Amino acid sequence: MNVPTVADLAAKGESPEILFWIGCAGSYDDRYKRVTKAFVKILNAVNIKFAVLGTEESCTGDPARRAGNEFLFQMQAMSNIQVLNGYGIKKIVTACPHCFNTIKNEYAELGGNYDVIHHSAFLQQLINEGNIKLEGGGSFKGKKITYHDSCFLGRANNIYEAPRAVLEALDADLVEMKRCRTTGLCCGAGGAQMFKDAEKGKKEINIERTEEALATGANTIAVACPFCMTMMSDGVKNKEREAEVKVKDLAELIAEAKGLN
Amino acid sequence: MIQQILFFIVLAGAGYLIAKRVGFIRSTINLGKKADITDRKDERLRNVLLVAFGQKKMFKKFIPAFLHLFVYVGFLVINLEVLEFIIDGLAGTHRIFAPYLGGFYTALMNTFEFLAVAVLTACLIFLIRRNIVRTKRLNLHDLTRWPRMDANIILFTEIILMLAILTMNASDQILQTRNDHYTATGSLFFSGFLLPLFQNVETSTLIIIERFAWWFHIIGILAFAVYVTYSKHLHIFLAFPNTYFAKLEPKGKMTNMPVVTNEVKSMLGLADANASATVVEPGRFGAKDVNDLTWNNLMAAYSCTECGRCTEQCPANITGKKLSPRKIMMDTRDRMEDVGKSLQKGGPGLNDGKTLLNDYITKEEINACTSCNACVEACPVLINPLEIILELRRYVAMEESGAPPSWNSMFQNIETSFAPWKFSPSDRFNWSKES
């Protein structure tokens, strides 16, 4: 797999058109690494001059900030900004809505000004500009897909339509859950909940959301966030439906439809 | 003349009580930290017009929004009649506008009567929703006895006030046919239905009924105006400034802490030469009590009318956790009131041994938040409970190191491995070599 690092390019006196920010889940989580790879395949297929930071990347600090540790967040932010500014990075794409939100909205006042785009909006652009052509939608034509809104894309940044536009390009039958877009129910992992057990209650949030997703009758639950991916996959397993219901990221669906696997 | 003097006393009394209470509310809001919100005036004004004046966000739920619109328009329009009441009361006149406005007065009175009936109907339906149908968000645990009673008092009072208007107009219409003192209003449609009730009543009794209804209505309105300043109903005024001062940035953006920025910069040797010129007063990290929140967080607490649209959307609350964004706002307000009352009596105020965190809002509540912004999105008047939750978390994590153990491990992982999980940083790029 051709994955150039920014350092590689810099050694040749070059710089990337766009930096692909992988995020911690995309780097370490076995399930989300598949999303990272699917997106790299797409980037390679459309011949975009991209690069990654490789081992120079580091947590954006989002979970620390949401859990209240502002010091740790700012330490992470400052060192990331130093690396990014050091390489003169202007444009960043990421498949993680949390990284996206933090770098786009929170790095600016700490000295990091970049044009940040989430991979859903990036894929939508590629499709709109004809760089990705999906003749007949491939294997997803007419199949029921439901999209689970990520809070950090949706309410946090008003991105509701880009992921849906990507799914529509698959010619799939997009079915909505009862709670969607502005009223979409959280998967339960935001605000650093990913990193601790839930407080005492009647039910796990991801089970509530998975039940809603399963009620649509869709066999594919599309997600656009690593935490949503984990929570929804766990939910489907909990309901013992993993044999017929798949949780997939937008990039995986596009890569699959394009036969890039 | 006696009536005029009495009226003046009642009016002045109500004015005094309201002014005193407004002063109190202002002082509790001023317990909050300074925040400069003077930017983007056009967008802010737009929010006031669309969200507060135009009720835009209310219409996500059509039926309550529609009924609420009647009460809201009724409130705005019927207040025009209160102006006539006040002039009449002070000058000793009766329906002073009627001779000047003629046919328009009749139209105006009929409009008021239509609205009075609409308000009455809406409030009746609201009472039924609250107490008989028991709409879920209006019957959750976070609404304890007083908030429930407060809501019922408001609805009940509005119904009684509207009935007083209709009674007054009905008796007045009959008196117009019997006595010249009563200026002709023209025929009034809705109170017309009440005429048979009063047709056979003696003139002297009718005069008493009309006067009683008049006094009852105006004293009722003034008493209600005083009551509102103690009640959740304060939203009728504060919704406007609250939407004006609401956050305009993307909901996902957290407020920066410049104090921390300065410290981190100097730790990393990045401090600019002129940094010392802009010393930020250190204070507490995050919020433990109401004085650690900004004044607009505090004003938001007074703007909340406890409708529960936030709590109804909260994923933690839906799944049975203790967190309720509505309760966050109610607790903040309760704390402000308690501190304010204590200070008023020369008491210890903030130093009464209690704090917003722990004594009003527990860690269990704030730890359950997923920062999903569902509550923020749901609020019809742009209140932001999430900001308060995150400030409280900042205090717990930074001042007490009291975050849940799993979060402390996550912090440690980020510090040592630069990822929230314990992986070696040198393995970060291994995925590119895997098939």
Side-chain angles (χ1 to χ4, degrees), chain B residues 170 173-174 177-178 192 194-202 206:
Chain B
Q173 276 184 84
I174 297 171
T177 62
R178 300 187 191 169
L194 299 176
L195 290 183
L197 281 177
F198 302 108
Q199 209 62 265
N200 299 320
V201 179
E202 265 185 58
L206 218 45

Side-chain angles (χ1 to χ4, degrees), chain A residues 28 33 37 57-59 65-66 70 74 101 106 109 155-156 190-193 195-196 199 202-203, chain B residues 251-254 256 261 319 321 367 369-372 374 393-394 406-407 418 423-424 428 434-435:
Chain A
Y28 294 114
K33 279 196 264 186
K37 287 179 224 167
E57 199 186 279
S58 171
C59 174
R65 187 171 228 195
R66 263 97 206 141
E70 183 74 9
Q74 294 212 11
N101 177 66
E106 299 180 349
E109 53 197 339
R155 281 184 293 267
Q193 297 300 332
F195 307 101
K196 74 169 188 41
E199 270 50 48
K202 311 192 290 263
K203 200 176 189 177
Chain B
K251 289 192 190 72
K253 182 181 182 298
M254 269 178 75
N256 191 38
T261 309
T319 54
K321 279 85 179 176
N367 285 345
C369 173
T370 67
S371 71
C372 76
R393 276 191 185 174
R394 277 175 167 168
S406 328
W407 276 356
F418 311 113
F423 290 108
S424 162
R428 186 177 271 273
E434 297 162 8
S435 63

Side-chain angles (χ1 to χ4, degrees), chain A residues 3-10 16 18-23 27 36 40 50-60 76-77 79-93 103 107 114, chain B residues 425-426 428-433:
Chain A
V3 194
T5 63
V6 184
D8 291 341
L9 293 188
I18 192 161
L19 173 86
F20 176 22
W21 181 277
I22 315 293
S27 305
T36 306
V40 166
F50 77 100
V52 300
L53 283 173
T55 51
E56 287 186 275
E57 199 186 279
S58 171
C59 174
T60 59
Q76 287 300 114
S79 64
N80 281 325
I81 291 167
Q82 273 187 300
V83 172
L84 291 168
N85 289 354
Y87 283 121
I89 299 297
K90 299 274 179 297
K91 204 171 170 195
I92 300 173
V93 63
I103 302 175
Y107 276 16
Y114 320 102
Chain B
S426 59
R428 186 177 271 273
F429 196 34
N430 287 0
W431 59 267
S432 67
K433 285 145 218 141

